[in-house]
Amino acid sequence: MPALLLSPLLLLSAAPAFADKLRDGERHWSFRKRSRPEVPRATDPADRGWVRTSVDAFVLQRLRQDGLRPAPEADRATLVRRLSFDLTGLPPAPAEVAAFVNDPSPDAYERLVERLLASPHYGEQWGRHWLDVVRYAETEGFEYDRQHPGAWRYRDYVFRSFAQDRPFDRFVQEQLAGDELAPEDRDCQVAAGFHRIGPVRRNAGNSEVAFSRNEVLTEMTDAVGAVFLGLTVGCARCHDHKFDDFPQADYYRLQAFLAAAQEHDVVLATAEAQAEWKARTNQVKEEIKKLKESLPGLDGEGRKRAEQRLREMEHSLPPPLPTIHSVRDVEAERTAVHVLRRGDPDRKGNPVGPRAPGALLPQGTPELAPDTRNPRTLLARWITDPENPLTARVLANRVWQYHFGRGLVETANDFGVNGSRPSHPELLDYLANELVANGWQLKPLHRMILLSRTYRQASQNPDPAAAIGKDPANRLL
């Protein structure tokens, strides 16, 4: 491929690609480069004694601006339950509560945090949060609601990834493009099943192949925007986004990264086992077909026996072979992506090639050639570039949300103009920066939050009148 075609993607993976296209005042806050805030310094000795982690310094500074004080620390029984539910999703056993309450050692709390972070249930709890975000299901929905008997492999991959604290940038790249990154690696094949776990509309005998394909690409594109960028890109499918700097053409440029991806089931059985399964399945299906054809000519006891036999045969179908539900690029079947008028595949506008959203690129960045190799790998690397202003912010905000019940940005899946502004913008950028600085691993971020005085506050403030009067929604914590 000529170097000229690669140069725009090299730009996508370089820091200058995220330089502000407009003056700061003309860009939405979430599209601006992350700030590098300094940790506030407390001047009051009492305040200095309260600060345990950097989180506290930012929260306390904001409280002081409104003349508010933090709540006192929660009692130990509350803290052990809070930590256990947050990190494992399970209540602590009575013996665990008693052990923590009666532990006089000064590092008892820190050791409790480490024990729960090391628990296998941590991976399940935080993996469950991710499954919610990525719309995980084991059936396809809609009329046929076909089962994905191998979907559990993706679920378990997610659980293992969180338990092992797999770096989030690698975690994202494997899901967006695992089949391109390592085609023979089982984990990467499973991870790429991210593109298969959403709803799929299948209509038997549907001759409108272009419509069905468009629905699949739409689902994949919308998921990429919401899951990784926290943007409602789907609003631009039929027209320019009414609020965000996201023209309709950019929606289809994003979709073009996915245009060659096709369903791919990796059967794990041997060729002999597959042949035996196919022979047995065909035999049973043939008998089912004959029974169904005979039903119209039967009545009374004969019909009852035939219906009973039909049920027995349907239940005797061999179970599905062990399968990885994944995707792979098939260049010969790559969909030519056009801007679609009102999102209608029968009303094609201008053709487009892959390109990241223009609001996050230098002005005039060209599209890539439609047949660019490994397009999803390029997209994944752009999304996980440390300088991407959205990805780390969105993830740090979700971690905060699951610990406090509400994100610093309340609209966790909408960092656009219609979403809420962050209650503590400097803290959000600080957390996102620390996430990247720690190799995109989540456990250091958990520790910074969980060891803070902010997290350990009681849910009751000793001066409720002042707190409710100045901060009725408790946005200032």
Side-chain angles (χ1 to χ4, degrees):
M1 184 179 299
L4 178 62
L5 297 182
L6 282 178
S7 59
L9 253 297
L10 293 177
L11 276 174
L12 291 185
S13 63
F18 294 98
D20 287 339
K21 183 179 70 175
L22 306 171
R23 290 188 299 274
D24 274 356
E26 297 176 357
R27 293 175 60 88
H28 185 58
W29 70 267
S30 67
F31 292 170
R32 299 175 195 165
K33 293 179 68 174
R34 294 193 306 274
S35 62
R36 304 288 173 183
E38 291 187 10
V39 179
R41 293 184 178 275
T43 55
D44 188 305
D47 289 347
R48 287 199 297 270
W50 189 79
V51 172
R52 280 183 176 266
T53 75
S54 302
V55 167
D56 297 328
F58 286 101
V59 170
L60 186 61
Q61 181 188 56
R62 186 67 184 84
L63 286 172
R64 281 303 205 182
Q65 289 174 11
D66 283 73
L68 295 171
R69 292 288 301 168
E73 185 165 306
D75 63 78
R76 282 198 158 199
T78 297
L79 289 176
V80 66
R81 286 178 58 81
R82 183 182 294 174
L83 280 172
S84 187
F85 276 115
D86 274 7
L87 291 180
T88 70
L90 299 169
E96 293 175 305
V97 176
F100 177 66
V101 168
N102 297 315
D103 188 342
S105 58
D107 64 343
Y109 183 85
E110 287 79 1
R111 286 188 289 105
L112 175 62
V113 169
E114 292 303 319
R115 179 172 67 79
L116 293 172
L117 283 173
S119 166
H121 299 304
Y122 161 80
E124 296 163 359
Q125 167 73 346
W126 282 79
R128 183 178 64 82
H129 291 320
W130 184 253
L131 296 180
D132 288 343
V133 170
V134 301
R135 83 271 189 243
Y136 173 80
E138 297 186 359
T139 65
E140 293 183 341
F142 293 114
E143 296 91 339
Y144 290 91
D145 202 24
R146 290 198 326 183
Q147 281 196 316
H148 279 319
W152 61 270
R153 298 178 193 278
Y154 175 83
R155 178 201 66 201
D156 286 7
Y157 158 80
V158 169
F159 289 171
R160 286 196 307 275
S161 296
F162 278 92
Q164 297 165 0
D165 205 12
R166 189 184 304 248
F168 189 77
D169 56 345
R170 180 66 186 181
F171 183 57
V172 169
Q173 291 168 14
E174 288 175 351
Q175 290 175 85
L176 285 174
D179 60 299
E180 293 180 352
L181 292 167
E184 303 305 319
D185 185 276
R186 288 278 174 85
D187 252 12
C188 285
Q189 290 174 336
V190 170
F194 161 79
H195 297 291
R196 298 281 304 278
I197 55 179
V200 180
R201 185 183 293 278
R202 298 185 189 275
N203 296 324
N206 182 9
S207 59
E208 297 182 26
V209 176
F211 173 83
S212 297
R213 175 62 174 164
N214 186 54
E215 290 298 301
V216 169
L217 287 176
T218 295
E219 168 63 25
M220 292 167 67
T221 306
D222 293 357
V224 169
V227 171
F228 303 111
L229 301 176
L231 295 177
T232 57
V233 300
C235 296
R237 175 188 180 186
C238 301
H239 48 71
D240 292 349
H241 202 295
K242 291 186 176 181
F243 306 103
D244 295 334
D245 185 12
F246 204 90
Q248 188 186 17
D250 273 4
Y251 178 84
Y252 289 98
R253 290 178 181 121
L254 185 60
Q255 189 177 96
F257 283 105
L258 312 168
Q262 301 288 340
E263 293 182 357
H264 179 51
D265 288 341
V266 182
V267 180
L268 302 178
T270 64
E272 181 182 2
Q274 290 183 55
E276 291 176 0
W277 180 89
K278 185 176 181 180
R280 174 59 182 162
T281 300
N282 288 341
Q283 177 187 354
V284 174
K285 284 185 174 180
E286 185 62 30
E287 185 163 351
I288 288 173
K289 179 182 177 182
K290 291 178 180 178
L291 285 167
K292 287 182 176 179
E293 290 173 346
S294 71
L295 286 177
L298 299 174
D299 56 20
E301 285 301 317
R303 185 179 181 90
K304 287 182 179 178
R305 285 194 296 271
E307 289 174 342
Q308 175 62 29
R309 178 61 178 165
L310 179 60
R311 287 191 291 269
E312 290 172 357
M313 293 307 296
E314 288 175 339
H315 283 107
S316 71
L317 279 166
L321 292 169
T323 302
I324 295 173
H325 298 288
S326 190
V327 295
R328 65 178 174 182
D329 287 345
V330 182
E331 186 56 35
E333 299 178 24
R334 179 177 58 81
T335 303
V337 177
H338 296 76
V339 177
L340 303 180
R341 297 181 179 89
R342 305 300 302 171
D344 184 349
D346 291 331
R347 303 176 65 192
K348 292 183 173 65
N350 294 328
V352 294
R355 200 196 72 181
L360 296 166
L361 296 177
Q363 212 158 14
T365 301
E367 298 172 0
L368 298 174
D371 60 351
T372 297
R373 294 195 61 185
N374 295 333
R376 284 179 286 117
T377 299
L378 300 176
L379 174 63
R381 287 175 179 164
W382 174 81
I383 285 177
T384 56
D385 189 297
E387 294 299 319
N388 189 316
L390 282 168
T391 310
R393 277 178 176 145
V394 169
L395 179 60
N397 187 65
R398 286 195 174 120
V399 172
W400 186 275
Q401 176 189 36
Y402 294 130
H403 283 310
F404 287 91
R406 176 167 44 190
L408 296 168
V409 176
E410 291 185 275
T411 51
N413 294 326
D414 186 0
F415 272 51
V417 172
N418 263 18
S420 67
R421 295 185 68 84
S423 59
H424 299 72
E426 294 84 6
L427 174 57
L428 178 61
D429 278 2
Y430 182 84
L431 294 174
N433 295 339
E434 288 296 297
L435 172 67
V436 174
N438 284 305
W440 291 91
Q441 291 184 296
L442 290 187
K443 288 188 178 181
L445 191 62
H446 285 304
R447 292 185 184 97
M448 185 184 302
I449 293 171
L450 299 176
L451 297 178
S452 70
R453 294 273 197 183
T454 303
Y455 178 82
R456 294 161 70 165
Q457 289 180 94
S459 56
Q460 297 292 323
N461 192 297
D463 188 8
I468 292 172
K470 294 183 178 180
D471 183 27
N474 195 27
R475 297 293 288 130
L476 305 184
L477 304 158

